Amino acid sequence: MGTALVIENDPTDDARRLGEWLTEAGLELTVLRPHAGDALPETLDDYLALVVLGGDQNAYSASDGTPGAPWFPALEGLLRKAVRNRVPTLAVCLGAQLLAQAHGGLVERSTSGPEIGPGLVGKRDAADTDPLFKWVPLLPDVIQWHRDEITELPLKAVLLAASSHYPHQAFRLGDRAWGVQFHIECDVEMIERWAADDAVTLDELGYDAEAVVYAVAEVLPDVEEVWQPFAARFASLALGTLPDADIPNPGTGRTLPLLGQ
């Protein structure tokens, strides 16, 4: 078994089901919790993969230059090293925003408002040759819970999935690093806590908290059907056992937004 480094940015968003899927696929997980004082490593030399989870913080700095969390500059540095050294990387929600920002992308408070609850994202053409996304269905079920968005992808990013209001839902940097704006790790207990913590936001949106939790619970089997195999392929890639891991042409060009954006 190989070891993957998991960075937990927020105690309310742990690896949960994603961690179970990766472990089942043969990856041993080393979880660091910088929010609780764990120090980040200088390099990824001791790890086969990097997983960066979500959180309630902003990826971008405050107006006075204060980072969204004290460890974010170091984490962005680690994400740059991961891409440069081709360490398989999976960054989720806030993690995806940090991955984009670390490589010159732009993250901002979305003008489209919060995106919360079950949703669908649409694969882009580049996903057809991606070792992880090519087996994902055209319109996979996901769970959304964010206010910020990646308004500009890094110059060399490849767009893999989009939606009408948030066009940058999934992307790849190089041939070994993926960012997904949506959540695949959640279970019902996690969503119940988020709904309680975000009660004010749900009220502003006119959402009933119980209805949101119920809707997520209903879609979780469909989420697992898509993203458990995705996680297994990521683990296989990290372990060096994925047969079709090489990308014929990773691509570095900018991708067009959805029509109407």
Side-chain angles (χ1 to χ4, degrees), residues 17 117-119 142-143 145 186-192 209-224:
R17 299 201 309 165
V142 299
I143 299 167
W145 208 290
C186 305
D187 61 11
V188 173
E189 182 182 6
M190 185 181 288
I191 295 299
E192 286 175 339
E210 289 187 6
V212 171
V213 173
Y214 179 79
V216 171
E218 286 285 287
V219 80
L220 279 179
D222 296 322
V223 172
E224 180 171 4

mmCIF file with all atom_site columns, all heavy atoms in Angstrom, residues 17 117-119 142-143 145 186-192 209-224:
data_model
loop_
_atom_site.group_PDB
_atom_site.id
_atom_site.type_symbol
_atom_site.label_atom_id
_atom_site.label_alt_id
_atom_site.label_comp_id
_atom_site.label_asym_id
_atom_site.label_entity_id
_atom_site.label_seq_id
_atom_site.pdbx_PDB_ins_code
_atom_site.Cartn_x
_atom_site.Cartn_y
_atom_site.Cartn_z
_atom_site.occupancy
_atom_site.B_iso_or_equiv
_atom_site.pdbx_formal_charge
_atom_site.auth_seq_id
_atom_site.auth_comp_id
_atom_site.auth_asym_id
_atom_site.auth_atom_id
_atom_site.pdbx_PDB_model_num
ATOM 1   N N   . ARG A 1 17  ? -16.496 9.923  2.761   1.00 0.00 ? 17  ARG A N   1
ATOM 2   C CA  . ARG A 1 17  ? -16.670 8.807  1.812   1.00 0.00 ? 17  ARG A CA  1
ATOM 3   C C   . ARG A 1 17  ? -15.525 8.731  0.810   1.00 0.00 ? 17  ARG A C   1
ATOM 4   O O   . ARG A 1 17  ? -15.125 7.629  0.412   1.00 0.00 ? 17  ARG A O   1
ATOM 5   C CB  . ARG A 1 17  ? -18.003 8.948  1.079   1.00 0.00 ? 17  ARG A CB  1
ATOM 6   C CG  . ARG A 1 17  ? -19.227 8.914  1.993   1.00 0.00 ? 17  ARG A CG  1
ATOM 7   C CD  . ARG A 1 17  ? -20.499 8.562  1.287   1.00 0.00 ? 17  ARG A CD  1
ATOM 8   N NE  . ARG A 1 17  ? -20.726 9.380  0.107   1.00 0.00 ? 17  ARG A NE  1
ATOM 9   C CZ  . ARG A 1 17  ? -21.620 9.070  -0.841  1.00 0.00 ? 17  ARG A CZ  1
ATOM 10  N NH1 . ARG A 1 17  ? -22.329 7.961  -0.744  1.00 0.00 ? 17  ARG A NH1 1
ATOM 11  N NH2 . ARG A 1 17  ? -21.809 9.850  -1.867  1.00 0.00 ? 17  ARG A NH2 1
ATOM 12  N N   . GLY A 1 117 ? -26.590 22.341 -2.726  1.00 0.00 ? 117 GLY A N   1
ATOM 13  C CA  . GLY A 1 117 ? -27.450 21.174 -2.893  1.00 0.00 ? 117 GLY A CA  1
ATOM 14  C C   . GLY A 1 117 ? -27.066 20.313 -4.083  1.00 0.00 ? 117 GLY A C   1
ATOM 15  O O   . GLY A 1 117 ? -26.005 20.495 -4.689  1.00 0.00 ? 117 GLY A O   1
ATOM 16  N N   . PRO A 1 118 ? -27.918 19.351 -4.443  1.00 0.00 ? 118 PRO A N   1
ATOM 17  C CA  . PRO A 1 118 ? -27.620 18.466 -5.575  1.00 0.00 ? 118 PRO A CA  1
ATOM 18  C C   . PRO A 1 118 ? -27.571 19.251 -6.875  1.00 0.00 ? 118 PRO A C   1
ATOM 19  O O   . PRO A 1 118 ? -28.251 20.264 -7.043  1.00 0.00 ? 118 PRO A O   1
ATOM 20  C CB  . PRO A 1 118 ? -28.792 17.484 -5.581  1.00 0.00 ? 118 PRO A CB  1
ATOM 21  C CG  . PRO A 1 118 ? -29.444 17.633 -4.251  1.00 0.00 ? 118 PRO A CG  1
ATOM 22  C CD  . PRO A 1 118 ? -29.198 19.024 -3.807  1.00 0.00 ? 118 PRO A CD  1
ATOM 23  N N   . GLY A 1 119 ? -26.755 18.777 -7.798  1.00 0.00 ? 119 GLY A N   1
ATOM 24  C CA  . GLY A 1 119 ? -26.668 19.432 -9.096  1.00 0.00 ? 119 GLY A CA  1
ATOM 25  C C   . GLY A 1 119 ? -26.107 18.497 -10.138 1.00 0.00 ? 119 GLY A C   1
ATOM 26  O O   . GLY A 1 119 ? -25.726 17.350 -9.850  1.00 0.00 ? 119 GLY A O   1
ATOM 27  N N   . VAL A 1 142 ? -23.610 15.664 -8.746  1.00 0.00 ? 142 VAL A N   1
ATOM 28  C CA  . VAL A 1 142 ? -22.630 16.180 -7.796  1.00 0.00 ? 142 VAL A CA  1
ATOM 29  C C   . VAL A 1 142 ? -23.372 16.875 -6.656  1.00 0.00 ? 142 VAL A C   1
ATOM 30  O O   . VAL A 1 142 ? -24.589 17.082 -6.720  1.00 0.00 ? 142 VAL A O   1
ATOM 31  C CB  . VAL A 1 142 ? -21.656 17.179 -8.460  1.00 0.00 ? 142 VAL A CB  1
ATOM 32  C CG1 . VAL A 1 142 ? -20.866 16.501 -9.575  1.00 0.00 ? 142 VAL A CG1 1
ATOM 33  C CG2 . VAL A 1 142 ? -22.399 18.399 -8.983  1.00 0.00 ? 142 VAL A CG2 1
ATOM 34  N N   . ILE A 1 143 ? -22.621 17.243 -5.634  1.00 0.00 ? 143 ILE A N   1
ATOM 35  C CA  . ILE A 1 143 ? -23.160 18.035 -4.531  1.00 0.00 ? 143 ILE A CA  1
ATOM 36  C C   . ILE A 1 143 ? -22.404 19.365 -4.514  1.00 0.00 ? 143 ILE A C   1
ATOM 37  O O   . ILE A 1 143 ? -21.168 19.384 -4.581  1.00 0.00 ? 143 ILE A O   1
ATOM 38  C CB  . ILE A 1 143 ? -22.992 17.311 -3.188  1.00 0.00 ? 143 ILE A CB  1
ATOM 39  C CG1 . ILE A 1 143 ? -23.755 15.973 -3.214  1.00 0.00 ? 143 ILE A CG1 1
ATOM 40  C CG2 . ILE A 1 143 ? -23.489 18.176 -2.024  1.00 0.00 ? 143 ILE A CG2 1
ATOM 41  C CD1 . ILE A 1 143 ? -23.397 15.049 -2.071  1.00 0.00 ? 143 ILE A CD1 1
ATOM 42  N N   . TRP A 1 145 ? -21.728 23.244 -2.660  1.00 0.00 ? 145 TRP A N   1
ATOM 43  C CA  . TRP A 1 145 ? -21.892 24.047 -1.449  1.00 0.00 ? 145 TRP A CA  1
ATOM 44  C C   . TRP A 1 145 ? -20.775 25.093 -1.437  1.00 0.00 ? 145 TRP A C   1
ATOM 45  O O   . TRP A 1 145 ? -19.757 24.938 -0.783  1.00 0.00 ? 145 TRP A O   1
ATOM 46  C CB  . TRP A 1 145 ? -21.830 23.172 -0.198  1.00 0.00 ? 145 TRP A CB  1
ATOM 47  C CG  . TRP A 1 145 ? -22.623 23.762 0.945   1.00 0.00 ? 145 TRP A CG  1
ATOM 48  C CD1 . TRP A 1 145 ? -22.318 24.880 1.676   1.00 0.00 ? 145 TRP A CD1 1
ATOM 49  C CD2 . TRP A 1 145 ? -23.872 23.281 1.442   1.00 0.00 ? 145 TRP A CD2 1
ATOM 50  N NE1 . TRP A 1 145 ? -23.304 25.116 2.608   1.00 0.00 ? 145 TRP A NE1 1
ATOM 51  C CE2 . TRP A 1 145 ? -24.265 24.147 2.493   1.00 0.00 ? 145 TRP A CE2 1
ATOM 52  C CE3 . TRP A 1 145 ? -24.693 22.204 1.122   1.00 0.00 ? 145 TRP A CE3 1
ATOM 53  C CZ2 . TRP A 1 145 ? -25.449 23.971 3.212   1.00 0.00 ? 145 TRP A CZ2 1
ATOM 54  C CZ3 . TRP A 1 145 ? -25.855 22.024 1.833   1.00 0.00 ? 145 TRP A CZ3 1
ATOM 55  C CH2 . TRP A 1 145 ? -26.241 22.894 2.868   1.00 0.00 ? 145 TRP A CH2 1
ATOM 56  N N   . CYS A 1 186 ? -19.165 13.965 0.553   1.00 0.00 ? 186 CYS A N   1
ATOM 57  C CA  . CYS A 1 186 ? -20.162 14.191 1.613   1.00 0.00 ? 186 CYS A CA  1
ATOM 58  C C   . CYS A 1 186 ? -21.027 12.968 1.913   1.00 0.00 ? 186 CYS A C   1
ATOM 59  O O   . CYS A 1 186 ? -21.306 12.146 1.046   1.00 0.00 ? 186 CYS A O   1
ATOM 60  C CB  . CYS A 1 186 ? -21.082 15.336 1.208   1.00 0.00 ? 186 CYS A CB  1
ATOM 61  S SG  . CYS A 1 186 ? -20.223 16.853 0.812   1.00 0.00 ? 186 CYS A SG  1
ATOM 62  N N   . ASP A 1 187 ? -21.465 12.892 3.158   1.00 0.00 ? 187 ASP A N   1
ATOM 63  C CA  . ASP A 1 187 ? -22.552 11.992 3.524   1.00 0.00 ? 187 ASP A CA  1
ATOM 64  C C   . ASP A 1 187 ? -23.641 12.850 4.156   1.00 0.00 ? 187 ASP A C   1
ATOM 65  O O   . ASP A 1 187 ? -23.517 14.078 4.272   1.00 0.00 ? 187 ASP A O   1
ATOM 66  C CB  . ASP A 1 187 ? -22.086 10.863 4.452   1.00 0.00 ? 187 ASP A CB  1
ATOM 67  C CG  . ASP A 1 187 ? -21.523 11.361 5.774   1.00 0.00 ? 187 ASP A CG  1
ATOM 68  O OD1 . ASP A 1 187 ? -21.662 12.562 6.098   1.00 0.00 ? 187 ASP A OD1 1
ATOM 69  O OD2 . ASP A 1 187 ? -20.934 10.549 6.519   1.00 0.00 ? 187 ASP A OD2 1
ATOM 70  N N   . VAL A 1 188 ? -24.735 12.230 4.569   1.00 0.00 ? 188 VAL A N   1
ATOM 71  C CA  . VAL A 1 188 ? -25.881 12.981 5.096   1.00 0.00 ? 188 VAL A CA  1
ATOM 72  C C   . VAL A 1 188 ? -25.513 13.739 6.362   1.00 0.00 ? 188 VAL A C   1
ATOM 73  O O   . VAL A 1 188 ? -25.907 14.908 6.545   1.00 0.00 ? 188 VAL A O   1
ATOM 74  C CB  . VAL A 1 188 ? -27.074 12.034 5.366   1.00 0.00 ? 188 VAL A CB  1
ATOM 75  C CG1 . VAL A 1 188 ? -28.201 12.784 6.072   1.00 0.00 ? 188 VAL A CG1 1
ATOM 76  C CG2 . VAL A 1 188 ? -27.582 11.436 4.065   1.00 0.00 ? 188 VAL A CG2 1
ATOM 77  N N   . GLU A 1 189 ? -24.738 13.121 7.234   1.00 0.00 ? 189 GLU A N   1
ATOM 78  C CA  . GLU A 1 189 ? -24.357 13.777 8.478   1.00 0.00 ? 189 GLU A CA  1
ATOM 79  C C   . GLU A 1 189 ? -23.590 15.071 8.209   1.00 0.00 ? 189 GLU A C   1
ATOM 80  O O   . GLU A 1 189 ? -23.803 16.099 8.885   1.00 0.00 ? 189 GLU A O   1
ATOM 81  C CB  . GLU A 1 189 ? -23.508 12.830 9.329   1.00 0.00 ? 189 GLU A CB  1
ATOM 82  C CG  . GLU A 1 189 ? -23.102 13.415 10.676  1.00 0.00 ? 189 GLU A CG  1
ATOM 83  C CD  . GLU A 1 189 ? -22.222 12.466 11.467  1.00 0.00 ? 189 GLU A CD  1
ATOM 84  O OE1 . GLU A 1 189 ? -21.832 11.409 10.918  1.00 0.00 ? 189 GLU A OE1 1
ATOM 85  O OE2 . GLU A 1 189 ? -21.933 12.779 12.632  1.00 0.00 ? 189 GLU A OE2 1
ATOM 86  N N   . MET A 1 190 ? -22.711 15.043 7.234   1.00 0.00 ? 190 MET A N   1
ATOM 87  C CA  . MET A 1 190 ? -21.940 16.240 6.887   1.00 0.00 ? 190 MET A CA  1
ATOM 88  C C   . MET A 1 190 ? -22.856 17.349 6.381   1.00 0.00 ? 190 MET A C   1
ATOM 89  O O   . MET A 1 190 ? -22.741 18.521 6.777   1.00 0.00 ? 190 MET A O   1
ATOM 90  C CB  . MET A 1 190 ? -20.891 15.890 5.835   1.00 0.00 ? 190 MET A CB  1
ATOM 91  C CG  . MET A 1 190 ? -19.952 17.031 5.482   1.00 0.00 ? 190 MET A CG  1
ATOM 92  S SD  . MET A 1 190 ? -18.737 16.562 4.202   1.00 0.00 ? 190 MET A SD  1
ATOM 93  C CE  . MET A 1 190 ? -17.659 15.473 5.154   1.00 0.00 ? 190 MET A CE  1
ATOM 94  N N   . ILE A 1 191 ? -23.801 16.991 5.507   1.00 0.00 ? 191 ILE A N   1
ATOM 95  C CA  . ILE A 1 191 ? -24.717 17.978 4.948   1.00 0.00 ? 191 ILE A CA  1
ATOM 96  C C   . ILE A 1 191 ? -25.628 18.545 6.041   1.00 0.00 ? 191 ILE A C   1
ATOM 97  O O   . ILE A 1 191 ? -25.955 19.742 6.028   1.00 0.00 ? 191 ILE A O   1
ATOM 98  C CB  . ILE A 1 191 ? -25.540 17.355 3.807   1.00 0.00 ? 191 ILE A CB  1
ATOM 99  C CG1 . ILE A 1 191 ? -24.616 16.982 2.630   1.00 0.00 ? 191 ILE A CG1 1
ATOM 100 C CG2 . ILE A 1 191 ? -26.625 18.318 3.337   1.00 0.00 ? 191 ILE A CG2 1
ATOM 101 C CD1 . ILE A 1 191 ? -23.877 18.156 2.025   1.00 0.00 ? 191 ILE A CD1 1
ATOM 102 N N   . GLU A 1 192 ? -26.047 17.721 6.977   1.00 0.00 ? 192 GLU A N   1
ATOM 103 C CA  . GLU A 1 192 ? -26.869 18.219 8.083   1.00 0.00 ? 192 GLU A CA  1
ATOM 104 C C   . GLU A 1 192 ? -26.122 19.297 8.863   1.00 0.00 ? 192 GLU A C   1
ATOM 105 O O   . GLU A 1 192 ? -26.709 20.320 9.249   1.00 0.00 ? 192 GLU A O   1
ATOM 106 C CB  . GLU A 1 192 ? -27.251 17.062 9.009   1.00 0.00 ? 192 GLU A CB  1
ATOM 107 C CG  . GLU A 1 192 ? -28.303 16.144 8.434   1.00 0.00 ? 192 GLU A CG  1
ATOM 108 C CD  . GLU A 1 192 ? -28.570 14.947 9.337   1.00 0.00 ? 192 GLU A CD  1
ATOM 109 O OE1 . GLU A 1 192 ? -27.699 14.618 10.185  1.00 0.00 ? 192 GLU A OE1 1
ATOM 110 O OE2 . GLU A 1 192 ? -29.637 14.331 9.189   1.00 0.00 ? 192 GLU A OE2 1
ATOM 111 N N   . ALA A 1 209 ? -34.013 23.968 5.092   1.00 0.00 ? 209 ALA A N   1
ATOM 112 C CA  . ALA A 1 209 ? -32.838 23.163 5.424   1.00 0.00 ? 209 ALA A CA  1
ATOM 113 C C   . ALA A 1 209 ? -33.134 21.672 5.344   1.00 0.00 ? 209 ALA A C   1
ATOM 114 O O   . ALA A 1 209 ? -32.332 20.903 4.804   1.00 0.00 ? 209 ALA A O   1
ATOM 115 C CB  . ALA A 1 209 ? -32.330 23.537 6.818   1.00 0.00 ? 209 ALA A CB  1
ATOM 116 N N   . GLU A 1 210 ? -34.268 21.251 5.874   1.00 0.00 ? 210 GLU A N   1
ATOM 117 C CA  . GLU A 1 210 ? -34.614 19.832 5.844   1.00 0.00 ? 210 GLU A CA  1
ATOM 118 C C   . GLU A 1 210 ? -34.781 19.337 4.411   1.00 0.00 ? 210 GLU A C   1
ATOM 119 O O   . GLU A 1 210 ? -34.391 18.212 4.085   1.00 0.00 ? 210 GLU A O   1
ATOM 120 C CB  . GLU A 1 210 ? -35.883 19.576 6.649   1.00 0.00 ? 210 GLU A CB  1
ATOM 121 C CG  . GLU A 1 210 ? -35.719 19.720 8.159   1.00 0.00 ? 210 GLU A CG  1
ATOM 122 C CD  . GLU A 1 210 ? -36.955 19.296 8.918   1.00 0.00 ? 210 GLU A CD  1
ATOM 123 O OE1 . GLU A 1 210 ? -37.910 18.775 8.260   1.00 0.00 ? 210 GLU A OE1 1
ATOM 124 O OE2 . GLU A 1 210 ? -36.991 19.465 10.146  1.00 0.00 ? 210 GLU A OE2 1
ATOM 125 N N   . ALA A 1 211 ? -35.342 20.185 3.570   1.00 0.00 ? 211 ALA A N   1
ATOM 126 C CA  . ALA A 1 211 ? -35.533 19.805 2.170   1.00 0.00 ? 211 ALA A CA  1
ATOM 127 C C   . ALA A 1 211 ? -34.188 19.650 1.461   1.00 0.00 ? 211 ALA A C   1
ATOM 128 O O   . ALA A 1 211 ? -34.007 18.744 0.629   1.00 0.00 ? 211 ALA A O   1
ATOM 129 C CB  . ALA A 1 211 ? -36.391 20.840 1.454   1.00 0.00 ? 211 ALA A CB  1
ATOM 130 N N   . VAL A 1 212 ? -33.228 20.525 1.783   1.00 0.00 ? 212 VAL A N   1
ATOM 131 C CA  . VAL A 1 212 ? -31.895 20.420 1.181   1.00 0.00 ? 212 VAL A CA  1
ATOM 132 C C   . VAL A 1 212 ? -31.225 19.118 1.603   1.00 0.00 ? 212 VAL A C   1
ATOM 133 O O   . VAL A 1 212 ? -30.663 18.395 0.771   1.00 0.00 ? 212 VAL A O   1
ATOM 134 C CB  . VAL A 1 212 ? -31.017 21.632 1.576   1.00 0.00 ? 212 VAL A CB  1
ATOM 135 C CG1 . VAL A 1 212 ? -29.571 21.412 1.133   1.00 0.00 ? 212 VAL A CG1 1
ATOM 136 C CG2 . VAL A 1 212 ? -31.565 22.912 0.967   1.00 0.00 ? 212 VAL A CG2 1
ATOM 137 N N   . VAL A 1 213 ? -31.294 18.805 2.896   1.00 0.00 ? 213 VAL A N   1
ATOM 138 C CA  . VAL A 1 213 ? -30.691 17.571 3.396   1.00 0.00 ? 213 VAL A CA  1
ATOM 139 C C   . VAL A 1 213 ? -31.345 16.362 2.739   1.00 0.00 ? 213 VAL A C   1
ATOM 140 O O   . VAL A 1 213 ? -30.664 15.414 2.315   1.00 0.00 ? 213 VAL A O   1
ATOM 141 C CB  . VAL A 1 213 ? -30.804 17.488 4.926   1.00 0.00 ? 213 VAL A CB  1
ATOM 142 C CG1 . VAL A 1 213 ? -30.326 16.128 5.425   1.00 0.00 ? 213 VAL A CG1 1
ATOM 143 C CG2 . VAL A 1 213 ? -29.996 18.610 5.585   1.00 0.00 ? 213 VAL A CG2 1
ATOM 144 N N   . TYR A 1 214 ? -32.667 16.394 2.627   1.00 0.00 ? 214 TYR A N   1
ATOM 145 C CA  . TYR A 1 214 ? -33.392 15.271 2.020   1.00 0.00 ? 214 TYR A CA  1
ATOM 146 C C   . TYR A 1 214 ? -33.000 15.110 0.551   1.00 0.00 ? 214 TYR A C   1
ATOM 147 O O   . TYR A 1 214 ? -32.776 13.988 0.073   1.00 0.00 ? 214 TYR A O   1
ATOM 148 C CB  . TYR A 1 214 ? -34.902 15.505 2.124   1.00 0.00 ? 214 TYR A CB  1
ATOM 149 C CG  . TYR A 1 214 ? -35.728 14.408 1.491   1.00 0.00 ? 214 TYR A CG  1
ATOM 150 C CD1 . TYR A 1 214 ? -35.957 13.203 2.151   1.00 0.00 ? 214 TYR A CD1 1
ATOM 151 C CD2 . TYR A 1 214 ? -36.270 14.576 0.214   1.00 0.00 ? 214 TYR A CD2 1
ATOM 152 C CE1 . TYR A 1 214 ? -36.716 12.195 1.565   1.00 0.00 ? 214 TYR A CE1 1
ATOM 153 C CE2 . TYR A 1 214 ? -37.017 13.580 -0.387  1.00 0.00 ? 214 TYR A CE2 1
ATOM 154 C CZ  . TYR A 1 214 ? -37.237 12.388 0.292   1.00 0.00 ? 214 TYR A CZ  1
ATOM 155 O OH  . TYR A 1 214 ? -37.973 11.398 -0.295  1.00 0.00 ? 214 TYR A OH  1
ATOM 156 N N   . ALA A 1 215 ? -32.897 16.240 -0.166  1.00 0.00 ? 215 ALA A N   1
ATOM 157 C CA  . ALA A 1 215 ? -32.542 16.179 -1.587  1.00 0.00 ? 215 ALA A CA  1
ATOM 158 C C   . ALA A 1 215 ? -31.150 15.592 -1.780  1.00 0.00 ? 215 ALA A C   1
ATOM 159 O O   . ALA A 1 215 ? -30.919 14.790 -2.695  1.00 0.00 ? 215 ALA A O   1
ATOM 160 C CB  . ALA A 1 215 ? -32.622 17.573 -2.202  1.00 0.00 ? 215 ALA A CB  1
ATOM 161 N N   . VAL A 1 216 ? -30.210 15.978 -0.907  1.00 0.00 ? 216 VAL A N   1
ATOM 162 C CA  . VAL A 1 216 ? -28.856 15.423 -0.991  1.00 0.00 ? 216 VAL A CA  1
ATOM 163 C C   . VAL A 1 216 ? -28.875 13.933 -0.691  1.00 0.00 ? 216 VAL A C   1
ATOM 164 O O   . VAL A 1 216 ? -28.226 13.132 -1.378  1.00 0.00 ? 216 VAL A O   1
ATOM 165 C CB  . VAL A 1 216 ? -27.899 16.167 -0.048  1.00 0.00 ? 216 VAL A CB  1
ATOM 166 C CG1 . VAL A 1 216 ? -26.558 15.442 0.030   1.00 0.00 ? 216 VAL A CG1 1
ATOM 167 C CG2 . VAL A 1 216 ? -27.698 17.603 -0.503  1.00 0.00 ? 216 VAL A CG2 1
ATOM 168 N N   . ALA A 1 217 ? -29.627 13.545 0.357   1.00 0.00 ? 217 ALA A N   1
ATOM 169 C CA  . ALA A 1 217 ? -29.714 12.128 0.718   1.00 0.00 ? 217 ALA A CA  1
ATOM 170 C C   . ALA A 1 217 ? -30.249 11.297 -0.451  1.00 0.00 ? 217 ALA A C   1
ATOM 171 O O   . ALA A 1 217 ? -29.792 10.168 -0.688  1.00 0.00 ? 217 ALA A O   1
ATOM 172 C CB  . ALA A 1 217 ? -30.596 11.953 1.945   1.00 0.00 ? 217 ALA A CB  1
ATOM 173 N N   . GLU A 1 218 ? -31.193 11.858 -1.188  1.00 0.00 ? 218 GLU A N   1
ATOM 174 C CA  . GLU A 1 218 ? -31.782 11.148 -2.318  1.00 0.00 ? 218 GLU A CA  1
ATOM 175 C C   . GLU A 1 218 ? -30.777 10.913 -3.444  1.00 0.00 ? 218 GLU A C   1
ATOM 176 O O   . GLU A 1 218 ? -30.828 9.889  -4.133  1.00 0.00 ? 218 GLU A O   1
ATOM 177 C CB  . GLU A 1 218 ? -32.978 11.952 -2.865  1.00 0.00 ? 218 GLU A CB  1
ATOM 178 C CG  . GLU A 1 218 ? -34.216 11.896 -1.992  1.00 0.00 ? 218 GLU A CG  1
ATOM 179 C CD  . GLU A 1 218 ? -34.919 10.557 -2.124  1.00 0.00 ? 218 GLU A CD  1
ATOM 180 O OE1 . GLU A 1 218 ? -35.546 10.309 -3.174  1.00 0.00 ? 218 GLU A OE1 1
ATOM 181 O OE2 . GLU A 1 218 ? -34.825 9.749  -1.181  1.00 0.00 ? 218 GLU A OE2 1
ATOM 182 N N   . VAL A 1 219 ? -29.855 11.865 -3.625  1.00 0.00 ? 219 VAL A N   1
ATOM 183 C CA  . VAL A 1 219 ? -28.936 11.771 -4.764  1.00 0.00 ? 219 VAL A CA  1
ATOM 184 C C   . VAL A 1 219 ? -27.625 11.072 -4.407  1.00 0.00 ? 219 VAL A C   1
ATOM 185 O O   . VAL A 1 219 ? -26.847 10.721 -5.293  1.00 0.00 ? 219 VAL A O   1
ATOM 186 C CB  . VAL A 1 219 ? -28.666 13.185 -5.341  1.00 0.00 ? 219 VAL A CB  1
ATOM 187 C CG1 . VAL A 1 219 ? -27.635 13.939 -4.506  1.00 0.00 ? 219 VAL A CG1 1
ATOM 188 C CG2 . VAL A 1 219 ? -28.241 13.127 -6.796  1.00 0.00 ? 219 VAL A CG2 1
ATOM 189 N N   . LEU A 1 220 ? -27.351 10.846 -3.135  1.00 0.00 ? 220 LEU A N   1
ATOM 190 C CA  . LEU A 1 220 ? -26.072 10.257 -2.731  1.00 0.00 ? 220 LEU A CA  1
ATOM 191 C C   . LEU A 1 220 ? -25.767 8.919  -3.416  1.00 0.00 ? 220 LEU A C   1
ATOM 192 O O   . LEU A 1 220 ? -24.608 8.680  -3.786  1.00 0.00 ? 220 LEU A O   1
ATOM 193 C CB  . LEU A 1 220 ? -26.011 10.104 -1.215  1.00 0.00 ? 220 LEU A CB  1
ATOM 194 C CG  . LEU A 1 220 ? -25.644 11.366 -0.421  1.00 0.00 ? 220 LEU A CG  1
ATOM 195 C CD1 . LEU A 1 220 ? -25.654 11.080 1.077   1.00 0.00 ? 220 LEU A CD1 1
ATOM 196 C CD2 . LEU A 1 220 ? -24.278 11.900 -0.845  1.00 0.00 ? 220 LEU A CD2 1
ATOM 197 N N   . PRO A 1 221 ? -26.738 8.019  -3.600  1.00 0.00 ? 221 PRO A N   1
ATOM 198 C CA  . PRO A 1 221 ? -26.418 6.774  -4.318  1.00 0.00 ? 221 PRO A CA  1
ATOM 199 C C   . PRO A 1 221 ? -25.936 7.028  -5.745  1.00 0.00 ? 221 PRO A C   1
ATOM 200 O O   . PRO A 1 221 ? -25.041 6.338  -6.241  1.00 0.00 ? 221 PRO A O   1
ATOM 201 C CB  . PRO A 1 221 ? -27.740 5.996  -4.304  1.00 0.00 ? 221 PRO A CB  1
ATOM 202 C CG  . PRO A 1 221 ? -28.461 6.516  -3.094  1.00 0.00 ? 221 PRO A CG  1
ATOM 203 C CD  . PRO A 1 221 ? -28.108 7.973  -3.034  1.00 0.00 ? 221 PRO A CD  1
ATOM 204 N N   . ASP A 1 222 ? -26.516 8.032  -6.412  1.00 0.00 ? 222 ASP A N   1
ATOM 205 C CA  . ASP A 1 222 ? -26.085 8.358  -7.768  1.00 0.00 ? 222 ASP A CA  1
ATOM 206 C C   . ASP A 1 222 ? -24.694 8.992  -7.764  1.00 0.00 ? 222 ASP A C   1
ATOM 207 O O   . ASP A 1 222 ? -23.891 8.750  -8.674  1.00 0.00 ? 222 ASP A O   1
ATOM 208 C CB  . ASP A 1 222 ? -27.085 9.314  -8.418  1.00 0.00 ? 222 ASP A CB  1
ATOM 209 C CG  . ASP A 1 222 ? -28.454 8.688  -8.594  1.00 0.00 ? 222 ASP A CG  1
ATOM 210 O OD1 . ASP A 1 222 ? -28.511 7.484  -8.924  1.00 0.00 ? 222 ASP A OD1 1
ATOM 211 O OD2 . ASP A 1 222 ? -29.463 9.381  -8.398  1.00 0.00 ? 222 ASP A OD2 1
ATOM 212 N N   . VAL A 1 223 ? -24.422 9.813  -6.750  1.00 0.00 ? 223 VAL A N   1
ATOM 213 C CA  . VAL A 1 223 ? -23.092 10.398 -6.612  1.00 0.00 ? 223 VAL A CA  1
ATOM 214 C C   . VAL A 1 223 ? -22.056 9.295  -6.423  1.00 0.00 ? 223 VAL A C   1
ATOM 215 O O   . VAL A 1 223 ? -21.002 9.290  -7.062  1.00 0.00 ? 223 VAL A O   1
ATOM 216 C CB  . VAL A 1 223 ? -23.061 11.389 -5.432  1.00 0.00 ? 223 VAL A CB  1
ATOM 217 C CG1 . VAL A 1 223 ? -21.635 11.863 -5.157  1.00 0.00 ? 223 VAL A CG1 1
ATOM 218 C CG2 . VAL A 1 223 ? -23.967 12.586 -5.712  1.00 0.00 ? 223 VAL A CG2 1
ATOM 219 N N   . GLU A 1 224 ? -22.361 8.344  -5.562  1.00 0.00 ? 224 GLU A N   1
ATOM 220 C CA  . GLU A 1 224 ? -21.425 7.252  -5.311  1.00 0.00 ? 224 GLU A CA  1
ATOM 221 C C   . GLU A 1 224 ? -21.202 6.407  -6.561  1.00 0.00 ? 224 GLU A C   1
ATOM 222 O O   . GLU A 1 224 ? -20.070 5.980  -6.831  1.00 0.00 ? 224 GLU A O   1
ATOM 223 C CB  . GLU A 1 224 ? -21.936 6.369  -4.174  1.00 0.00 ? 224 GLU A CB  1
ATOM 224 C CG  . GLU A 1 224 ? -21.018 5.216  -3.862  1.00 0.00 ? 224 GLU A CG  1
ATOM 225 C CD  . GLU A 1 224 ? -21.400 4.468  -2.597  1.00 0.00 ? 224 GLU A CD  1
ATOM 226 O OE1 . GLU A 1 224 ? -22.430 4.805  -1.989  1.00 0.00 ? 224 GLU A OE1 1
ATOM 227 O OE2 . GLU A 1 224 ? -20.661 3.542  -2.216  1.00 0.00 ? 224 GLU A OE2 1
#
